[in-house]
C-alpha cells in the first residue's frame, strides 16, 4: 500500500510538470515576409513591415525567424497549417476563413502612374490601349485586367516596372504606391516625375497566422500590435523609411476622411 501511495504521489508531481514544460513557448515560428522594399528586403533583412512585426514578436516573447519567399508560396505555407505567420496580407472576404487575422500592420493603396502629363485630362477608359506595367500575380495585375487594360507587361517586381517606365518602354505603371516610388528612386529616377492618374485605397493589410497557431499566441501579438497602432508607433516606424511626409491616408492615426474610389479595386 505504501508503494502504491508513493507511486501515486510521484505521478501527481510528474504529470503536471510535463504538461507545463513551456514547450509552446520554445516553438520558433516562421514569419513569412515580403521581399518588396521598403516593406521588406531579404538581402538586408530590413523594411518597415519587418521592423513592425519583429518588435511585436519580441515584446510578446514569441520566438520567431523571418523567411523571404515568393508571395504565392508564402500563402500556401500558412494555409497548410504550418504554424506560421505572414505579413502583410490584404484582408478580403474570400480569404477570411483561410487564416487567423491577427492585427492590421499597414495601410496601402494602388495607383496608376505615368510620366506623360498629356494624359492627365483623359478619362480612364481612354488609357486602356496604352502599354502598362504591372507586377505579376499581384493586385496590380488583377486590377489592370479588370479595368480593361490590354497591353500589359507583367514584371517580376517593382524594380523592373520602374526601369521600364524610365526607359519609356511603357506609358503607364500600375503599382503599390510606396514600393513603386521606392523602386523608382532606387533605379535612379526622381519620384516627382511620376504623375498619379488614379489612386485606389485598398483594405488594410494584416499579420496573419495559420489556423493551428495557438490562440494565446495570436491574442498576445494582437494586443501588442493594437497598442503600437493606436499610439502611433507603427506610423512612426513607417515614416522613418521616407524623407518626405507620408500621405495622411497611409497612416493609422490619420483623422481626415478617405475618399472612396468610383470603382472598388479588389486586390
Amino acid at each position: 500500500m505504501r508503494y502504491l501511495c508513493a507511486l501515486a504521489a510521484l505521478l501527481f508531481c510528474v504529470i503536471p510538470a510535463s504538461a507545463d514544460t513551456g514547450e509552446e513557448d520554445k516553438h520558433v515560428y516562421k514569419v513569412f515576409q515580403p521581399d518588396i522594399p521598403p516593406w521588406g528586403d531579404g538581402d538586408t533583412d530590413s523594411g518597415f513591415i519587418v521592423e513592425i512585426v519583429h518588435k511585436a514578436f519580441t515584446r510578446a516573447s514569441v520566438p520567431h525567424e523571418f523567411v523571404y519567399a515568393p508571395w504565392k508560396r508564402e500563402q500556401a505555407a500558412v494555409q497548410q497549417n504550418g504554424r506560421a505567420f505572414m505579413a502583410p496580407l490584404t484582408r478580403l472576404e474570400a480569404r477570411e476563413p483561410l487564416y487567423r487575422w491577427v492585427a492590421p500592420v499597414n495601410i496601402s493603396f494602388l495607383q496608376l502612374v505615368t510620366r506623360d502629363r498629356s494624359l492627365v485630362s483623359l478619362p480612364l477608359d481612354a488609357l486602356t490601349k496604352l502599354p502598362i506595367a504591372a507586377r505579376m500575380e499581384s493586385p496590380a495585375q488583377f486590377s489592370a485586367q479588370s479595368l480593361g487594360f490590354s497591353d500589359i507587361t507583367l514584371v517580376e517586381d517593382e524594380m523592373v516596372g520602374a526601369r521600364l517606365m524610365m526607359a519609356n518602354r511603357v506609358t503607364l505603371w500600375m503599382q503599390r504606391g510606396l514600393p513603386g516610388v521606392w523602386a523608382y528612386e532606387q533605379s535612379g529616377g526622381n519620384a516627382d516625375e511620376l504623375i498619379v492618374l488614379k489612386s485606389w485605397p485598398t483594405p488594410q493589410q494584416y499579420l496573419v497566422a495559420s489556423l493551428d497557431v495557438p490562440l494565446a499566441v495570436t491574442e498576445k501579438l494582437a494586443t501588442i500590435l493594437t497598442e503600437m497602432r493606436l499610439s502611433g508607433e507603427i506610423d512612426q516606424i513607417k515614416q522613418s523609411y521616407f524623407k518626405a511626409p507620408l500621405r495622411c491616408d497611409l497612416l493609422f492615426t490619420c483623422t481626415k476622411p478617405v475618399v472612396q474610389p468610383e470603382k472598388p479595386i479588389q486586390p
Side-chain angles (χ1 to χ4, degrees):
M1 179 63 109
R2 237 179 305 175
Y3 171 79
L4 291 176
C5 290
L7 181 60
L10 180 62
L11 288 173
F12 181 81
C13 295
V14 169
I15 291 175
S18 63
D20 191 27
T21 58
E23 179 181 352
E24 196 60 62
D25 294 335
K26 293 179 182 178
H27 181 79
V28 179
Y29 291 93
K30 288 185 177 180
V31 183
F32 292 99
Q33 293 279 18
D35 200 358
I36 307 174
W39 288 353
D41 188 339
D43 293 333
T44 60
D45 200 24
S46 64
F48 68 81
I49 295 293
V50 172
E51 185 174 341
I52 291 166
V53 172
H54 175 66
K55 283 182 181 292
F57 272 77
T58 301
R59 291 176 188 174
S61 300
V62 178
H64 61 285
E65 61 179 3
F66 290 150
V67 179
Y68 298 87
W71 186 68
K72 286 289 187 182
R73 190 186 307 168
E74 291 183 353
Q75 285 195 90
V78 180
Q79 288 177 23
Q80 291 165 4
N81 293 335
R83 297 178 72 194
F85 291 82
M86 176 182 178
L89 188 65
T90 305
R91 188 166 191 171
L92 300 175
E93 184 177 353
R95 293 174 178 165
E96 195 71 28
L98 303 177
Y99 309 95
R100 183 168 292 158
W101 299 85
V102 182
V105 293
N106 189 38
I107 298 173
S108 187
F109 59 86
L110 282 175
Q111 61 183 23
L112 179 66
V113 302
T114 185
R115 301 200 306 174
D116 187 345
R117 292 193 177 276
S118 68
L119 302 180
V120 173
S121 60
L122 297 179
L124 193 60
D125 291 346
L127 305 176
T128 55
K129 301 299 182 184
L130 297 175
I132 182 174
R135 188 165 65 87
M136 64 180 64
E137 295 185 350
S138 77
Q141 174 189 342
F142 306 142
S143 299
Q145 291 171 338
S146 67
L147 290 169
F149 286 93
S150 55
D151 188 1
I152 304 175
T153 299
L154 297 179
V155 297
E156 183 179 355
D157 54 41
E158 302 290 22
M159 291 294 287
V160 179
R163 295 188 187 112
L164 289 176
M165 176 64 74
M166 291 180 65
N168 294 318
R169 298 278 299 279
V170 295
T171 306
L172 304 170
W173 181 19
M174 182 75 80
Q175 38 99 313
R176 263 295 199 179
L178 294 182
V181 169
W182 179 277
Y184 196 78
E185 292 183 338
Q186 292 296 308
S187 300
N190 184 339
D192 292 337
E193 300 170 353
L194 298 176
I195 304 162
V196 179
L197 298 176
K198 192 76 174 175
S199 181
W200 298 270
T202 61
Q204 290 184 349
Q205 295 178 309
Y206 275 63
L207 169 69
V208 301
S210 303
L211 297 176
D212 60 349
V213 172
L215 188 59
V217 173
T218 57
E219 286 180 340
K220 190 185 301 184
L221 288 166
T223 298
I224 291 171
L225 283 168
T226 299
E227 292 171 353
M228 293 175 65
R229 187 173 71 255
L230 295 178
S231 70
E233 184 177 1
I234 286 181
D235 290 345
Q236 292 171 5
I237 294 172
K238 187 174 182 178
Q239 179 63 74
S240 70
Y241 283 77
F242 302 92
K243 295 179 181 178
L246 296 177
R247 285 173 31 173
C248 183
D249 56 358
L250 288 173
L251 304 174
F252 285 115
T253 52
C254 179
T255 56
K256 296 180 181 179
V258 177
V259 178
Q260 294 300 322
E262 300 173 4
K263 184 174 181 180
I265 294 294
Q266 292 295 327

